[in-house]
Amino acid sequence: MGIEDGLWSRSRRAAYAEITQVAMRLFLDQGFAATTIDQIAAAAGISRRSFFRYFGTKEDIVLGDLAVQGELVRDALEAVPLTVPPWDALQEALWKVEGLVGDDETMLKIATMMYETPSLRARSIEKHLQWQRLLVPNVRRRLGSDPTDADDVAADAIVASAIACLDAAGAVWARNGGAADLKELYRRAVESVRS
């Protein structure tokens, strides 16, 4: 990588972060549906066309990091010894990833917006399906299965259930104004699925 490549990459990341910050402020102030791409572009000092160089949709601003977080959860799961059972290993990996647990006030606003906006919910589910593809091979190894066995449903079911538990815990947490501990809600959701 040359100096120019590094500078271009840093400039792109800085612009991405700035547009995201401007957009999130607008979303949280006036609501996701009420905020237009044109408003975001104007507030960020860019053209509509430039906006689409960074984001495919408004939803990607809110959930863009979700795909990256899936890779971080996978990496955290890989770091958990294979002797740790799948459910415990998934829980450990989920809570190691920064961004899944953060500033409660901001997280609550974003979670409430996401759970109340159908397009954000749909996009979130898409991203979680990507997580499932990333996590299943490790869980297959934990179960003693062949990581490439496409007919082994057990690992898929465990990972899908763990992600659904995270989603259910997040929905309850947002609905109750963040009054309960998110990790405890997740633990209870997992416990109810496993019983």
Side-chain angles (χ1 to χ4, degrees), residues 15-141:
Y16 179 92
E18 185 177 336
I19 297 165
T20 299
Q21 185 178 32
V22 166
M24 290 304 291
R25 192 170 49 246
L26 288 170
F27 293 152
L28 295 176
D29 287 347
Q30 62 191 35
F32 183 82
T35 303
T36 67
I37 289 171
D38 289 331
Q39 287 175 320
I40 295 166
I46 60 171
S47 68
R48 182 180 174 87
R49 183 175 174 190
S50 292
F51 172 89
F52 287 110
R53 287 189 190 128
Y54 294 94
F55 303 97
T57 65
K58 281 194 322 184
E59 289 79 7
D60 288 337
I61 296 169
V62 178
L63 300 171
D65 286 345
L66 207 52
V68 172
Q69 287 175 345
E71 294 170 6
L72 296 174
V73 172
R74 179 202 54 210
D75 294 346
L77 183 61
E78 291 292 334
V80 177
L82 287 175
T83 54
V84 176
W87 283 100
D88 298 331
L90 284 164
Q91 180 172 317
E92 186 176 328
L94 285 169
W95 299 128
K96 279 186 179 175
V97 175
E98 193 150 327
L100 293 180
V101 181
D103 165 32
D104 280 355
E105 186 179 334
T106 303
M107 270 185 58
L108 180 59
K109 288 177 182 177
I110 293 169
T112 301
M113 179 175 59
M114 188 191 75
Y115 287 110
E116 291 177 351
T117 308
S119 64
L120 285 173
R121 289 286 290 138
R123 197 79 171 115
S124 170
I125 290 167
E126 275 181 48
K127 302 269 186 184
H128 280 153
L129 288 173
Q130 293 172 4
W131 284 28
Q132 186 169 339
R133 284 190 293 277
L134 292 170
L135 303 177
V136 162
N138 180 281
V139 172
R140 283 189 180 141
R141 287 194 302 276

Side-chain angles (χ1 to χ4, degrees), residues 132-178:
Q132 186 169 339
R133 284 190 293 277
L134 292 170
L135 303 177
V136 162
N138 180 281
V139 172
R140 283 189 180 141
R141 287 194 302 276
R142 286 177 193 284
L143 295 172
S145 305
D146 177 356
T148 62
D149 182 0
D151 292 330
D152 180 10
V153 72
D156 288 86
I158 290 170
V159 172
S161 296
I163 291 170
C165 288
L166 181 63
D167 191 49
V172 169
W173 182 75
R175 189 171 53 237
N176 292 326

